[in-house]
Amino acid sequence: MNRYPFEVDHSRPFLAQVGEWVADVFYDILPEAGFEVRDEQIYMAYQLERAFAQKQTIFAEAGVGTGKTLVYLLYAICYARYTRKPAIIACADESLIEQLAKTEGDLAKLAQHLSLSIDARLAKSADRYLCLTKLDQARTGNEHADVFKAVHDELPDFVHQYKAMQSFHAYGDRKQYPQLNDQQWDQISWDSFQDCFSCEQRHRCGQTLSREHYRKSSDLIICSHDFYMEHVWTYEGRKREGQLPLLPDHCAVVFDEGHLLESAAQKALTYRLKHSVFEQIVGRLLQNDIRESLAALIDEAIDRSESLFRMLSGYCEDIPGSDRQRIVLSQQLLGEVRRFREVIDGIEEELVFESELYTLNEYQLRIVEEHLEMIQKALSLFQHSEALISWVTEDEDGLTLVIMPRAVKEVLRERVFALNMPVVFSSATLSVNGSFDYIASSLGIDDYVSFSTQSPYDYESQMEVLAPKWPRGASSEERMKAAVSLLNRTGGRALVLFNSKEDLLKFKELLPSYPACKDMRFWFEGDAEISHLISAFQRDETSVLCALTLWEGLDIPGPSLSNVIIWSLPYPPQDPVFMAKREAAASPYEEVDLPYMLLRLQQGMGRLIRSRDDRGIIAILSEEIHFDPILRQAIEDILPQGVALQRECLDLG
């Protein structure tokens, strides 16, 4: 098999030859297979050639329908083969990974029409995999025990065989269990408080085996933004622990829907502290033959941890509409943090001496030391509240303290953008008023190139945007009536986008009261694995998909998606992350809330028209549009050229 899809002339620059081949692909090869020639696609290809050749960071803002995915895939594959290192394609979330890798997706199209064998492997986040330990726990004394027993019985045989594995394969991916709803999956999937280091089933774990598989990719590794940022954040720590980094050495990174990278970076750089986990990990040391002074410090640390979390519960405030609780800082709370850190300091000093006596298992000692170091870093941040965002969540195991840095630009600048490799940001929405400075500044990018191309579609004739009027106010009941009227207009074939889980569940609860929809099939995010729901929606043309997370990336051309109903304007949530952003802004609404909403609204509207043959309507169920002229103008400004916002009265019955 040829290494490259074209004959290479070693006397000429390689990337220039890639550019010529890509031009042939878009001008000749794909049009012969029925694809249309798109000038925007060719323009993007020339821009990427320069970025790859000079190992630059590039913002590639290309409208819907420009075929940007095909362009960056071709360059990434060729560059991977040239450098003999895989390229990373980082998507905004796991559902977009599946969109790219599905049998009718862009990778499959390239393989088919270019007769190109592409080695593309998926690297999914840890929480997308089954946890054998949690599954064992869930099989007994659980209301869904029969469901979990069935999952256990379907595990590969080698999982149950405690002998050397002669053969094995990756398993346990969330996608393999579409019948489980999200609540059931959470009970058996990996979470951040699982102690994988000491797990007896670690080497039979599907997550572990999947890593062995994707690390061997020769062309592409496809992962989420979250996973890539976790790789960046844990890279040094995993090397210190004698582990492989999450991702292998790679030649380039493409951030698809790159405008979402900052939030993924913040999420990856987040610390989570829990008393029960701390007690479990440091308590292991008490099972060893250790000196009395160390044992006393460990007991004191456990008491201090319990005291800190007990005090923390008294300094939390509920946030309406959020499962996160706000922390009200006080001198008493900070004093308790300081005393807890002092005890941990003492344990760390004792462990240095203890390690010289060789009374502790070296591997177990390293686990405890890493956990203590993490706690010290987290609590050090907590004592400097101006540099972080923190909150508390609560479940049956008690409180979890979450600590997130406000700014991630320094980490990104050092560990991503200073690595002398091509970095591509691809999205239809990267600039603000034509400038890329906002996103570049927030991510710590000092040197970049950029370009923008418009969508080739005739939106004026393909799309209607409606803003229903509300003679009796936009209550839940009135919104339901409007949604039912709109669904009947298109005979289903709709995507309903919600901005909160509460709104989605309320819609689901009220739906049976509307007989006009009784013959329509509805799919609800959370009821099954998301890519399974998307496929079912696409196959069942008159069905309706109700979702929280599909504002970006969903690509369903054809009549199956002829109607996008936006249940409410997608303003950012009232949670500590955005509360902190608002506190830091001179004009919170203009600097935080409105830009976020407009960007998300623009992405949501972009789900409708995915080909030149698509037609349909977008309905924005908002009361504010009608009495706030500034808001209405801002929304009209982001509509495609020639498309007007139609404020009309629907027949609400």
Side-chain angles (χ1 to χ4, degrees), residues 53-65:
Q54 300 177 9
K55 299 181 180 180
Q56 293 176 305
T57 294
I58 183 169
F59 292 115
E61 185 176 56
V64 175

Side-chain angles (χ1 to χ4, degrees), residues 101-121:
K102 63 185 179 181
T103 53
E104 66 274 22
D106 287 329
L107 278 169
K109 291 175 184 175
L110 290 180
Q112 176 187 353
H113 297 297
L114 302 181
S115 300
L116 190 61
S117 178
I118 304 170
D119 185 7
R121 309 190 188 192

Side-chain angles (χ1 to χ4, degrees), residues 274 313 318 323-325 392-400:
K274 199 165 194 170
S313 66
D318 290 335
D323 60 354
R324 298 172 175 179
Q325 295 176 296
V392 165
T393 60
E394 187 170 11
D395 57 26
E396 62 273 10
D397 294 329
L399 297 181
T400 298

Side-chain angles (χ1 to χ4, degrees), residues 245-265:
L246 291 179
L247 292 168
D249 193 16
H250 45 277
C251 65
V253 184
V254 177
F255 292 112
D256 201 349
E257 303 296 351
H259 62 284
L260 298 174
L261 182 62
E262 182 185 12
S263 60

Side-chain angles (χ1 to χ4, degrees), residues 9-300:
D9 180 352
H10 295 286
S11 66
R12 298 177 55 219
F14 176 74
L15 267 303
Q17 297 177 71
V18 174
E20 293 168 359
W21 174 70
V22 170
D24 289 340
V25 168
F26 290 135
Y27 276 126
D28 299 321
I29 301 174
L30 291 184
E32 287 181 8
F35 291 73
E36 61 181 283
V37 177
R38 297 172 178 170
D39 292 337
E40 299 86 358
Q41 203 172 38
I42 304 297
Y43 177 71
M44 178 176 176
Y46 284 126
Q47 300 302 313
L48 286 195
E49 177 188 331
R50 179 178 56 151
F52 272 84
Q54 300 177 9
K55 299 181 180 180
Q56 293 176 305
T57 294
I58 183 169
F59 292 115
E61 185 176 56
V64 175
T66 54
K68 52 186 174 291
T69 306
L70 294 178
V71 180
Y72 72 61
L73 285 175
L74 292 176
Y75 275 96
I77 292 166
C78 291
Y79 197 66
R81 296 183 180 186
Y82 177 66
T83 60
R84 297 183 184 271
K85 298 176 185 178
I88 305 296
I89 310 296
C91 302
D93 58 35
E94 305 292 341
S95 64
L96 299 185
I97 292 175
E98 295 295 345
Q99 290 270 31
L100 184 60
K102 63 185 179 181
T103 53
E104 66 274 22
D106 287 329
L107 278 169
K109 291 175 184 175
L110 290 180
Q112 176 187 353
H113 297 297
L114 302 181
S115 300
L116 190 61
S117 178
I118 304 170
D119 185 7
R121 309 190 188 192
L122 309 188
K124 297 192 175 183
S125 297
D127 60 3
R128 304 295 294 180
Y129 285 94
L130 182 72
C131 173
L132 295 174
T133 300
K134 288 178 69 174
L135 177 60
D136 287 340
Q137 296 167 351
R139 285 190 297 136
T140 58
N142 188 292
E143 61 178 318
H144 303 294
D146 291 343
V147 174
F148 298 140
K149 183 179 183 303
V151 171
H152 180 269
D153 292 344
E154 294 172 3
L155 292 174
D157 290 340
F158 63 76
V159 176
H160 310 293
Q161 297 171 355
Y162 286 86
K163 58 183 180 181
M165 292 189 292
Q166 299 302 312
S167 65
F168 57 88
H169 58 83
Y171 71 96
D173 182 346
R174 172 68 172 108
K175 189 180 179 182
Q176 296 171 348
Y177 308 99
Q179 74 279 11
L180 301 183
N181 62 38
D182 285 356
Q183 184 181 17
Q184 292 169 330
W185 176 251
D186 287 343
Q187 294 181 63
I188 62 172
S189 63
W190 180 92
D191 62 63
S192 59
F193 295 112
Q194 296 307 304
D195 185 5
C196 298
F197 296 115
S198 62
C199 180
E200 295 179 355
Q201 305 182 87
R202 179 182 180 188
H203 297 295
R204 286 172 167 75
C205 170
Q207 180 189 159
T208 302
L209 298 179
S210 74
R211 289 178 182 170
E212 292 298 318
H213 174 70
Y214 71 67
R215 282 190 179 110
K216 298 175 182 176
S217 175
S218 57
D219 289 334
L220 305 176
I221 297 176
I222 306 171
C223 66
S224 66
H225 291 179
D226 289 353
F227 190 74
Y228 187 81
M229 293 315 306
E230 185 182 354
H231 158 75
V232 169
W233 183 234
T234 62
Y235 181 85
E236 295 297 337
R238 292 181 69 88
K239 290 183 71 174
R240 282 199 307 270
E241 295 167 11
Q243 300 181 77
L244 290 172
L246 291 179
L247 292 168
D249 193 16
H250 45 277
C251 65
V253 184
V254 177
F255 292 112
D256 201 349
E257 303 296 351
H259 62 284
L260 298 174
L261 182 62
E262 182 185 12
S263 60
Q266 285 183 311
K267 181 179 177 182
L269 304 187
T270 294
Y271 298 97
R272 289 174 174 82
L273 278 60
K274 199 165 194 170
H275 168 67
S276 59
V277 175
F278 174 76
E279 182 177 24
Q280 176 189 3
I281 290 179
V282 300
R284 287 190 203 142
L285 296 178
L286 297 174
Q287 301 170 11
N288 293 269
D289 183 17
I290 60 175
R291 290 171 300 118
E292 186 176 341
S293 57
L294 176 55
L297 280 172
I298 291 171
D299 285 334
E300 184 181 355

Side-chain angles (χ1 to χ4, degrees), residues 343-356:
V343 179
I344 294 177
D345 283 337
I347 293 176
E348 290 177 321
E349 291 177 7
E350 290 281 337
L351 286 177
V352 173
F353 184 76
E354 199 76 36
S355 65
E356 295 174 354

Side-chain angles (χ1 to χ4, degrees), residues 523-542:
W523 310 101
F524 292 92
E525 183 174 351
D527 283 356
E529 192 272 330
I530 189 65
S531 65
H532 173 78
L533 292 175
I534 293 170
S535 296
F537 169 63
Q538 189 167 16
R539 289 194 305 270
D540 188 350
E541 183 181 309
T542 59

